[in-house]
């Protein structure tokens, strides 16, 4: 069994989408969670763009980093520099990855432009999560 932890600043968009994809795509015996260095609440646009691809994250909640979960994870993925820089130190047994993704919640422009930014983030996260799962499975 593999334990994954996705971290970003507010646990509102990127890490929530990563958790949603991992829960959908990873083997069912994996343990998957997300958190933030702060709690900003679940972004409704993240929920909407995930729903467009058939994944419901509406019941997920914005959480702070759980140090016990962090320290027992196999892989911790930070999805922004803030989370990478503020994440507590982990034991050497924890593999840390960093995906420097743009925060879609910071998008500006028309509603259509903002949704395009959220969809681009979603699609990049899906691609990275899919590759991560494949890489982990190839090692076992």
């Amino acid at each position: 069994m593999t334990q994954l932890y996705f971290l970003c600043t507010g646990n509102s968009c990127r890490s929530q989408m990563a958790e949603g994809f991992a829960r959908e795509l990873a083997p069912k015996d994996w343990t998957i969670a997300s958190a933030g260095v702060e709690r900003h609440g679940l972004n409704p646009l993240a929920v909407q763009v995930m729903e467009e691809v058939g994944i419901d994250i509406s019941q997920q909640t914005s959480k702070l980093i759980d140090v016990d979960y962090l320290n027992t994870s196999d892989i911790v993925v930070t999805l922004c520099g803030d989370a990478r820089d503020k994440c507590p130190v982990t034991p050497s047994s924890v593999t840390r990855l960093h995906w420097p993704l743009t925060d879609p919640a910071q998008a500006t422009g028309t509603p259509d432009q903002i949704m395009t930014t959220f969809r681009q983030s979603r699609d990049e996260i899906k691609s990275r999560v899919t590759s991560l799962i494949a890489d982990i499975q190839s090692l076992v």
Side-chain angles (χ1 to χ4, degrees):
M1 178 176 80
T2 299
Q3 182 168 302
L4 299 177
Y5 210 13
F6 296 99
L7 306 176
C8 66
T9 302
N11 192 219
S12 67
C13 295
R14 293 164 287 185
S15 55
Q16 294 284 357
M17 289 191 275
E19 177 183 352
F21 278 122
R23 287 184 184 277
E24 181 73 20
L25 302 171
K28 298 305 174 205
D29 65 337
W30 289 19
T31 306
I32 298 157
S34 68
V37 296
E38 303 166 2
R39 282 192 316 212
H40 292 177
L42 182 59
N43 188 300
L45 297 180
V47 173
Q48 184 177 337
V49 298
M50 291 298 285
E51 192 172 275
E52 290 175 357
V53 295
I55 298 175
D56 181 7
I57 63 168
S58 65
Q59 299 307 306
Q60 293 178 198
T61 59
S62 183
K63 301 166 289 304
L64 294 175
I65 294 171
D66 177 327
V67 176
D68 291 333
Y69 189 92
L70 177 78
N71 288 333
T72 58
S73 291
D74 297 296
I75 299 173
V76 172
V77 181
T78 53
L79 291 94
C80 67
D82 192 43
R84 180 197 58 211
D85 297 344
K86 294 180 180 175
C87 182
V89 174
T90 54
S92 60
S93 60
V94 176
T95 299
R96 299 223 359 206
L97 303 174
H98 179 61
W99 299 345
L101 302 175
T102 303
D103 184 359
Q106 300 300 315
T108 58
T110 67
D112 284 344
Q113 291 169 325
I114 292 169
M115 287 305 292
T116 295
T117 300
F118 268 84
R119 288 181 185 113
Q120 290 169 339
S121 292
R122 175 202 64 204
D123 295 346
E124 182 173 358
I125 291 166
K126 179 182 181 183
S127 175
R128 288 176 180 257
V129 168
T130 300
S131 293
L132 175 63
I133 291 167
D135 289 348
I136 294 168
Q137 289 183 301
S138 73
L139 298 173
V140 289

